[in-house]
Amino acid sequence: MRLTRKIVAIVVVLGVGGRCKGPCDSPIYCQGELLHAVQMARLFADDKTFVDKPTLKPEAQVLAAFARIGGANASRPALERFVAENFGQEGSELRAVDVGAELAARPGFLERVANPVVRAFGREVHGYWGQLIREQDTTRLCAGCVSSMLRLARRFVVPGGRFRETYYWDTYFALEGMLRSGLVDLSKSTIGDLLDLVDAYGFVPNGARVYYLDRSQPPVLTLMVKLYYEFTHDVEFVRGALPRLQREYAYWTDKHCVDVRVGSRVLRLSRYFVDTDVPRPEAYSDDYELAHNVTGDPQIQARLYADLATGAESGWDFSTRWVRDIHRVPVLETIRTRQVVPVDLNAILYQVEMALGELSDLVHGASGTYRQAAGERRQAMDAAMLDPTSGLYFDYLLEDARRSTEFAAAAVWPYWAFADGEAKLAARAFAYLGRVLDGNPGGVPATLTQSGQQWDWPMAWPPLQYVAMQGALRYGDPVGVRLAQSYVDSVLCAWYATGGSLPGVLEKLGNATDSGHMFEKFDSAQVGSAGGGGEYTVQAGFGWTNGVLIWTLDKFGPQLTAPKCLNLNVS
């Protein structure tokens, strides 16, 4: 029997009083009766809306106003008035930054694109960065007013849509495009903000909000610094960054390591792991209702909250990768993220270890023990995760003491990470990807399971296409060109279907009322359709979509053709 919202509202007050392991101590943005009352009233379609609002009055006055309307027992109309009178517009602590003068007038990546339509589209996307660059402006906050934003001293890139702040792993993929667009100083400042977060907290939070302070995201900061160095050869920037990168690496090795038993061997690998016992503030009502529909046992509810937050730390929120029973409805009732040792996290940490060795050698003339750690991780991954028949790597399931058998696009991340993988295994893995593409012309889906979650079929995500293309390039596999073309087709066709046009090259659709959207994800089964599913509506913007598109044009420009959806006779 499902809980009704009315019953839920009564039950929660009994559970708010104890000491909770929330992401921060804020009685507004992280835990407590005010957060619970507002989020469970569902004043907004998206729970993130409320926790992104700064206060219009000092915190003490806001809390007193909440008490006056009845606190936890306040009615929905009273809560609506309370929020309207005490909270400002989400994102009002930010201002847009004009970067037009910094954009390269003739970016080199465009010269490598043979097709005139694709080249014109690339130039259009090159000009979109100005829509996504922000800096903080707290001058409109009153004395004593509070916001959920973490302090960022420099300019930074945002994903777009509901994602108003900087996000950790999104930034890497945006940088691939920003650097090629000539935004070198902006890239440096964006990375600098993330390094400052390591100084402040010891790690990079999921995003720049206090409600993300209990979790990170895929740890790609070291890869960002390496990427920046490859473009600029700025040794002094690397020298200043290196201690922070080492500190972040220590956070991941201290907090996320786990023993994996394979036969008689005990191997050391890593997993995502968030220690919390409360709902995520930005998805509070969804988490709370899911947990209370599963059980009335507070300990089991706490484990569910931790596994949901851990799923968010993975960047794959959410996917059947993290559940016990992929056939359960709703599927997240069996979530067990902390019992999964993910392929992609370990491949990333291998890359981080190799890069730390390289950067340490650059700065100090010695690589330390990082390359040794990478070698040990590689051996453990091959033993625990590699399926030699398919050439794919699979997540390791701690509870079951075995490899998963379910395909996820993360299965080929090691082929980007490992420079010296066995060619026959790589060929098998990319042949498998080719067969997946046969049925998914819009790109490689996150998984092959249809669950309604956004990191499952048929969602094709830009970072996953990028990783697959990187692996194919490293091993010289021809599926790379197919992946590149499918990505360009998906992005360009969806943009065109939503009103995009290119003066003198591509006329706007007659029935279109918008001006073209760059979506965060796409439908792998239908070229030109935005993805869906998950906890929020599909977002437009979009930082990693733009970055991966520009990178793809740079790497595969001569081979790309105009998508068939445009109905053009241009090759």
Side-chain angles (χ1 to χ4, degrees), residues 449-487:
T449 301
Q450 185 174 17
S451 70
Q453 296 302 318
Q454 63 174 351
W455 287 85
D456 279 323
W457 188 90
M459 305 311 151
W461 289 84
L464 302 183
Q465 313 314 303
Y466 169 92
V467 169
M469 286 186 272
Q470 282 277 30
L473 282 172
R474 183 181 283 281
Y475 287 87
D477 196 284
V479 79
V481 177
R482 288 186 63 193
L483 289 161
Q485 187 66 58
S486 70
Y487 184 67

Side-chain angles (χ1 to χ4, degrees), residues 500-518:
S501 62
L502 302 168
V505 178
L506 183 64
E507 293 296 319
K508 187 171 185 172
L509 285 173
N511 60 350
T513 58
D514 221 329
S515 56
H517 291 306
M518 299 290 288

Side-chain angles (χ1 to χ4, degrees), residues 212-230:
Y212 289 142
L213 285 175
D214 61 352
R215 68 181 193 253
S216 187
Q217 263 193 338
V220 290
L221 179 57
T222 298
L223 305 187
M224 295 186 212
V225 172
K226 181 174 182 285
L227 179 66
Y228 179 81
Y229 173 74
E230 289 169 350

Side-chain angles (χ1 to χ4, degrees), residues 232-289:
T232 66
H233 303 290
D234 186 344
V235 177
E236 289 309 306
F237 181 73
V238 175
R239 190 185 310 278
L242 189 56
R244 274 85 67 83
L245 301 180
Q246 292 167 330
R247 185 180 180 192
E248 190 209 21
Y249 175 69
Y251 165 83
W252 280 91
T253 53
D254 290 346
K255 303 288 185 183
H256 294 80
C257 285
V258 65
D259 288 337
V260 172
R261 295 187 178 274
V262 177
S264 60
R265 302 167 64 190
V266 178
L267 309 171
R268 196 77 164 157
L269 287 168
S270 301
R271 60 177 168 173
Y272 294 106
F273 191 91
V274 179
D275 185 19
T276 187
D277 58 4
V278 296
R280 293 168 296 149
E282 81 284 3
Y284 191 101
S285 61
D286 288 340
D287 287 6
Y288 186 91
E289 290 181 0

Side-chain angles (χ1 to χ4, degrees), residues 298-466:
Q299 291 186 332
I300 298 176
Q301 291 169 355
R303 288 200 293 271
L304 276 167
Y305 294 144
D307 281 316
L308 289 165
T310 302
E313 182 173 63
S314 77
W316 287 54
D317 42 337
F318 289 101
S319 169
T320 49
R321 285 179 74 186
W322 315 133
V323 305
R324 291 184 185 87
D325 183 357
I326 65 174
H327 304 295
R328 181 78 165 262
V329 179
V331 72
L332 293 182
E333 289 188 349
T334 64
I335 191 167
R336 58 165 176 180
T337 320
R338 293 172 300 164
Q339 295 298 318
V340 179
V341 181
V343 167
D344 39 357
L345 174 59
N346 284 280
I348 290 167
L349 287 171
Y350 172 90
Q351 291 174 292
V352 168
E353 288 157 350
M354 292 296 289
L356 282 173
E358 181 181 335
L359 298 178
S360 297
D361 203 19
L362 177 71
V363 172
H364 301 302
S367 62
T369 60
Y370 294 115
R371 291 192 177 111
Q372 178 183 342
E376 292 171 357
R377 186 181 301 276
R378 166 75 179 278
Q379 291 177 1
M381 290 180 67
D382 285 348
M385 297 173 164
L386 175 61
D387 170 35
T389 302
S390 66
L392 300 172
Y393 286 77
F394 291 87
D395 299 331
Y396 191 85
L397 308 177
L398 293 172
E399 285 182 335
D400 303 336
R402 63 173 177 85
R403 283 196 308 264
S404 171
T405 57
E406 300 296 326
F407 169 80
V412 294
W413 201 303
Y415 291 107
W416 175 29
F418 303 155
D420 58 346
E422 189 175 330
K424 289 182 179 179
L425 292 175
R428 291 171 194 164
F430 290 114
Y432 185 95
L433 274 197
R435 294 192 293 274
V436 171
L437 279 177
D438 289 343
N440 292 276
V444 177
T447 74
L448 300 180
T449 301
Q450 185 174 17
S451 70
Q453 296 302 318
Q454 63 174 351
W455 287 85
D456 279 323
W457 188 90
M459 305 311 151
W461 289 84
L464 302 183
Q465 313 314 303
Y466 169 92

Side-chain angles (χ1 to χ4, degrees), residues 160-182:
R162 73 195 282 268
F163 303 109
R164 305 171 186 93
E165 53 284 312
T166 193
Y167 275 78
Y168 186 5
W169 80 312
D170 295 63
T171 302
Y172 175 87
F173 304 99
L175 286 173
E176 283 280 28
M178 290 163 58
L179 287 164
R180 287 173 169 81
S181 286

